[in-house]
Every structure is written in structure tokens, then in C-alpha cells.
Amino acid sequence: MRRIVCTFVVNGVTRELLVETNALLSEVLQDDLGLKGVHVGCGTGDCGACTVLVDGLPVLSCSTLAVTVRGKEITTVEGMANGTKLHPLQESFIEHGALQCGYCTPGMLLASKRLLEINPSPSRQDIKDALAGHLCRCTGYNKIVDAVMAAAEGEE
Amino acid sequence: MILPGFEYRKAASVAEAIAFYNDFQGKARYLAGGTDLMPLLKYRLSTPAAVVDLKGIQELGAISADHGWLTIGANVTLFDLKNDPVVKEYFPVLCQSLEATSCETLQMRGTIGGNLLQDTRCIEYNKTMEWRTARGFCLKMGGETCNVVPHSRICLSNYCSDNALSLIALSAEVSLAGPEGDKTTGLEKIFSGCGSRVFALGPGEILTRIRIPMEKSRGVYEKLRVRNSIDYPLAAVAVAMRQNGARVCVGGVGPAPRVYDLTGTDAGSVRDGAQKAYTDARAVPNSTLSPTYRRKMVRALFRRAVNKILSEGK
Ligand SMILES: Cc1cc2nc3c(=O)[nH]c(=O)nc-3n(C[C@H](O)[C@H](O)[C@H](O)COP(=O)(O)OP(=O)(O)OC[C@H]3O[C@@H](n4cnc5c(N)ncnc54)[C@H](O)[C@@H]3O)c2cc1C
Ligand code: FES
Ligand code: FES
């Protein structure tokens, strides 16, 4: 199997790595870059926990070959806070009790971030549509929708 | 779950992709969004020597409307297609089936080409290597018999593309390019009817474009699934109504969609059409819902979809 030199801009920092042709984006982010906020749940596209943003779009890192996103900007949950200052969505999730075990949270946050970028004042249904591919076994979803609504209202 | 080992090639043109396919003596798989292929590779349901990435082929990424056709490149994502103004205005059935496909995250990654050429599904097939080895390989994995219907000689795994149904109802055609040359054919003709070899395509053929006659239509898509947020269809019906009649396509049950051209839309014709679809549906216990229920739902969804259009028209 071959290795390919790949450049990624991960959370604003340019990284150059040797990547195996069959490496998943989730594996490169977790194992090579130590980004443990990338949570892999099902590994088959069903749960959304592994979602990261690639050039601003939500992508399932468990089902994406790392070599296919060479040269792109990748945002993981680690890239949301500004230093020690949390992103307004993260603040809102804490405020509204929108996480318990936290396994689904990185995916939920990143997909919500993208939603608010294209639709700054979403309806509850818009939020449910954007988060439809994200499973949460703990919260019952309502608190997550509340948190995203509140973050959107706070930013207006 | 880790992937098996394979080489990776990124093609810049259709010709280059076919050349890569030939370089690996046909032991290559094409990759678009990967949402269908990646899980198959993880489960070792496919172990190619190489994966040939089609996403770099610019010409497959466009939507254009001219000469009486809407032409859609195979690499267009489901999300972009769903938001296309022509699709919204002319083809409501396609808009609805795109909306009903998986979830927004997958729609942004999944392409229409990959959607049409996705593998069929079965509760005995979409499983890990360990699970399948313990159970014994079925027809679709090269084994002797079907694990759902013992002694069956044909695989009845389910073809679960939502958008194939609406595109067939809209009389769409597909263009294919392969080592043997190019051709264009009705979408409903690319199916073999057998779940262990789903498509009647030549080796190395690439789906390049889909085209739909630019005629305004009325349409409804009805889909049965357990979780509305993400699930594949367990039975589904697409109807497109144009000036010269209604075309109905039934899917989610068995390895190929079935087409019904309704000559009339009076209550009797609709009832007869729905009954015929019920009789034709070969549902077996290979999904999470009972086959009897799925068959009955084919009939119910057929009537519901046609009647919905008729009542909208009043
Ligand atoms: C959780 C989950 C839920 C899903 N739910 C649905 C659903 O409700 N409805 C539905 O229809 N689908 C569903 N899907 C399936 C899949 O996401 C979509 O069908 C998607 O559109 C596939 O496109 P892709 O670009 O990712 O295909 P890929 O995985 O890249 O390719 C699929 C297949 O087509 C081949 N291929 C791709 N492009 C070409 C081409 N141009 N020429 C020749 N061969 C090609 C590949 O070799 C592969 O065999 C679901 C998937 C997941 C993981
Ligand atoms: S881990 Fe990627 S979708 Fe579940
Ligand atoms: S907080 Fe536990 S899965 Fe969502």
C-alpha cells in the first residue's frame, strides 16, 4: 500500500502528513493529529458522531478517505473555541443541558455551526432537519434544539 | 472499523478513470461520495485492489437545461440537486424523493450517480465479515443458497435508491461510458433483476449523466421507513403525472424498481394499478418490517400517491 503526502489545514493550522491510501479521515485526525474530539460511534454513516467540517460542510470522517480531502480546510470541535473562550454554541449547550455523556456533542456542535452560518435564524424544524443524521442516546434531542435556538437568538 | 488495503487513484477525466480501471485488470471500484461504498469496504463485502476517485472529474459536476432536457452530471450532490430551481419547478417528485433520502449531512456528500448505483441491501448481507462467516455466505457473497429464503436460487435483496424511482417515473435516461464505448438508455433498463448482480452494466462502465425531458409535471413521492430522519425505504412509490398520463414506479422491495404506466386516472384504473403492484411485489423477510406488511404498503402507497396528485389538481 502506498503513502501519499497530504496537506490539510486543520483548525487553521497547515499540517503536512504522510497518509496511507486507505486511511480514514477520522483515523488521521485522531491518531496522527491527536484530535480526540473526533468521536467514532458506528463507523458506517448511521450516527453522525464523527462529523467534522470540510471547507465548511459537515462530513462523516468515519466514511471519508483522508486522501480525498487533501488541501482542504478541516474544522474539528477543538477548533470551535477561541483560546479558552468557548464558541457561543458550546456555551449554549452547557447552559441548556444539551449534553450528558457528550459522545454525540462534537458532531452536533459542528453541524449546528454550519447551519447557523447559512441560516442565522432557523426554525425548530430547520434545526431538526440539519441534525437528522445525528443520534443522541441521552438528551432526547429537545435540549439540543433549545440550545441551538438560543445560540441563534443570542447572536442576532 | 478499519478499511482493507487498496491503492488510490484520482481521475481527472472519464477516459482516465476507465484507464485506471483497466490498469488494475478490473479489480477497481469507483468512488464518488463514498457513503455507500465505504461501509461495504469496511464490512469486506468488497475488497478491490484500487479505488478510483471520480470526484475530480469536472464535467460530471454540472447541471444544465437545454435542448428540451435537464442534464445532471453524476457527481452532483443530492443536496445541490434538491435545491436546484429547475428541479423544484419542473419535477416535484424528484424534489420530494431527494428530501426523503437519508439526512442532510449524507445528502451533502452523496452524489446522484452513487445513489443510483448503490448496492442492494439485506439484513443478512449488510453485516461484518465475522457475522457473515459465522452464518455462512449467501448467494450475493458467492455462497450456495439464500439465507433468507432457503433453497432460493435468486437473490431478492432490496434496491433502496429513493431517487431512481422518481427519475424512472419522470422517464429519465442515463449515459454510460465504458471500455466498450458510450451509450444512453432508459434508467429502468440498467437493472438485471437479480440482487446478487444488481446492474446490467458492462465492466468498468461509468455513469456520466442523467437527463430528464423538460416537461412540467405534477408528482408525489411516498416512502415507508421506520425512522423518518435517516432510514432507507422499506417500500416506496413515485408518481409523475404529465399531459399524456401518469407513470408510477415502485421500489424498496426486491432488487429492481418496477414501472406502471397508468392509462386512466379514474378510481378503477388506480385500484387495478395498485393491485397489480401488490401482486408483483416480491417481499421476503429481509428487512426490519414483515414482508406481508411491506407488500400491503406497496398497494397503499400507490393509491395514496396517485390520489394525492389527483386531489391537488382539483
Ligand atoms: C445511514 C445511511 C442512510 C442512507 N439512507 C438512504 C436513503 O434513505 N435513500 C437512499 O437512496 N440512499 C440512502 N443511503 C445511501 C447513500 O448515502 C446514497 O445512496 C448516496 O447518494 C450514495 O452516493 P455516493 O456518492 O456516496 O456513492 P458512493 O458510495 O461513492 O458509490 C456508490 C456505488 O456507486 C458506484 N459509483 C458511484 N458513482 C459512479 C459513477 N459515476 N459511475 C459508476 N459507478 C459509480 C460506486 O462504485 C459504488 O459502488 C444511505 C446511506 C447511509 C450511510
Ligand atoms: S461514526 Fe461516523 S456516522 Fe457514526
Ligand atoms: S449526550 Fe450522550 S449521546 Fe448525546
Side-chain angles (χ1 to χ4, degrees):
Chain A
M1 219 171 348
R2 249 175 6 114
R3 288 167 169 235
I4 299 180
V5 181
C6 298
T7 311
F8 310 100
V9 183
V10 183
N11 298 328
V13 182
T14 305
R15 313 292 295 252
E16 199 179 68
L17 300 166
L18 258 184
V19 172
E20 292 201 348
T21 46
N22 70 337
L24 293 162
L25 179 58
S26 58
E27 293 167 345
V28 169
L29 294 171
Q30 290 178 331
D31 303 340
D32 297 338
L33 299 176
L35 297 166
K36 304 295 183 194
V38 179
H39 290 178
V40 173
C42 62
T44 49
D46 296 83
C47 78
C50 65
T51 303
V52 299
L53 300 181
V54 175
D55 284 350
L57 288 186
V59 162
L60 301 176
S61 62
C62 77
S63 305
T64 302
L65 286 182
V67 289
T68 62
V69 295
R70 275 175 291 176
K72 306 221 186 253
E73 275 191 39
I74 296 161
T75 310
T76 68
V77 72
E78 287 87 348
M80 282 185 77
N82 186 355
T84 53
K85 194 175 173 335
L86 291 182
H87 188 278
L89 271 165
Q90 292 174 306
E91 293 285 5
S92 187
F93 267 54
I94 297 171
E95 184 78 11
H96 290 84
L99 66 154
Q100 289 177 33
C101 78
Y103 207 80
C104 68
T105 314
M108 293 282 185
L109 284 168
L110 290 162
S112 306
K113 179 174 183 292
R114 194 269 169 178
L115 172 71
L116 296 190
E117 276 161 14
I118 54 157
N119 180 359
S121 38
S123 64
R124 287 187 82 83
Q125 190 56 47
D126 293 339
I127 298 171
K128 287 185 186 171
D129 288 345
L131 300 181
H134 297 258
L135 294 188
C136 176
R137 299 289 81 169
C138 304
T139 64
Y141 302 101
N142 273 331
K143 292 183 175 199
I144 295 175
V145 180
D146 292 345
V148 180
M149 275 306 262
E153 281 157 13
E155 274 176 12
E156 267 171 21
Chain B
M1 256 177 293
I2 55 169
L3 286 167
F6 48 74
E7 293 282 330
Y8 170 80
R9 295 287 184 277
K10 185 162 184 161
S13 66
V14 173
E16 194 181 23
I18 295 170
F20 285 143
Y21 182 88
N22 289 332
D23 285 350
F24 287 92
Q25 284 85 40
K27 294 196 175 66
R29 284 296 290 260
Y30 294 126
L31 170 76
T35 58
D36 185 54
L37 186 62
M38 285 297 130
L40 295 176
L41 298 178
K42 286 188 174 189
Y43 285 162
R44 308 301 191 265
L45 286 164
S46 173
T47 48
V51 161
V52 178
D53 191 351
L54 305 177
K55 284 295 285 248
I57 307 178
Q58 297 290 329
E59 54 173 312
L60 301 189
I63 308 179
S64 63
D66 48 26
H67 309 299
W69 297 89
L70 180 74
T71 305
I72 307 160
N75 280 348
V76 172
T77 65
L78 303 180
F79 195 74
D80 288 347
L81 192 56
K82 175 174 101 173
N83 289 310
D84 184 80
V86 179
V87 171
K88 280 188 176 154
E89 192 186 337
Y90 279 71
F91 312 120
V93 65
L94 179 57
C95 235
Q96 291 170 36
S97 68
L98 288 161
E99 184 67 50
T101 306
S102 57
C103 61
E104 283 196 2
T105 311
L106 286 164
Q107 288 167 12
M108 287 181 208
R109 188 82 185 156
T111 64
I112 187 69
N115 186 269
L116 298 179
L117 295 180
Q118 64 180 279
D119 201 358
T120 52
R121 307 185 63 79
C122 169
I123 42 168
E124 299 274 345
Y125 180 73
N126 300 93
K127 290 280 198 277
T128 60
M129 185 67 167
E130 294 73 18
W131 194 99
R132 290 181 294 112
T133 308
R135 181 81 168 90
F137 281 12
C138 69
L139 291 173
K140 194 168 161 69
M141 308 164 202
E144 297 288 305
T145 183
C146 171
N147 285 344
V148 173
V149 186
H151 312 300
S152 167
R153 285 173 183 278
I154 181 157
C155 168
L156 292 174
S157 53
N158 302 308
Y159 177 69
C160 291
S161 163
D162 287 296
N163 306 299
L165 311 188
S166 53
L167 285 168
I168 291 172
L170 289 164
S171 311
E173 295 180 352
V174 289
S175 298
L176 301 159
E180 312 284 301
D182 298 355
K183 63 172 186 252
T184 297
T185 172
L187 173 57
E188 70 282 5
K189 300 209 177 76
I190 68 168
F191 298 91
S192 72
C194 169
S196 42
R197 192 175 169 277
V198 187
F199 302 103
L201 297 185
E205 274 191 320
I206 295 181
L207 198 165
T208 52
R209 279 170 209 90
I210 300 123
R211 56 178 204 169
I212 318 174
M214 279 286 267
E215 187 193 329
K216 276 199 185 171
S217 61
R218 288 188 284 149
V220 165
Y221 186 69
E222 287 287 337
K223 168 173 178 177
L224 172 70
R225 52 179 168 174
V226 179
R227 297 171 300 178
N228 277 336
S229 54
I230 192 164
D231 282 340
Y232 287 93
L234 294 162
V237 174
V239 187
M241 204 173 281
R242 288 175 161 143
Q243 255 159 9
N244 53 359
R247 196 162 214 232
V248 185
C249 186
V250 175
V253 181
R258 282 175 307 279
V259 199
Y260 302 89
D261 283 305
L262 287 189
T263 39
T265 50
D266 54 289
S269 309
V270 178
R271 196 184 50 234
D272 293 349
Q275 187 59 30
K276 172 114 184 40
Y278 168 82
T279 314
D280 293 345
R282 295 173 78 187
V284 293
N286 60 1
S287 78
T288 47
L289 294 179
S290 88
T292 319
Y293 177 61
R294 284 167 67 218
R295 246 181 120 203
K296 284 186 181 163
M297 282 306 286
V298 164
R299 184 168 57 196
L301 296 179
F302 190 116
R303 281 200 301 241
R304 191 183 297 168
V306 179
N307 289 335
K308 222 183 209 176
I309 303 189
L310 294 176
S311 63
E312 274 169 10
K314 273 181 193 151

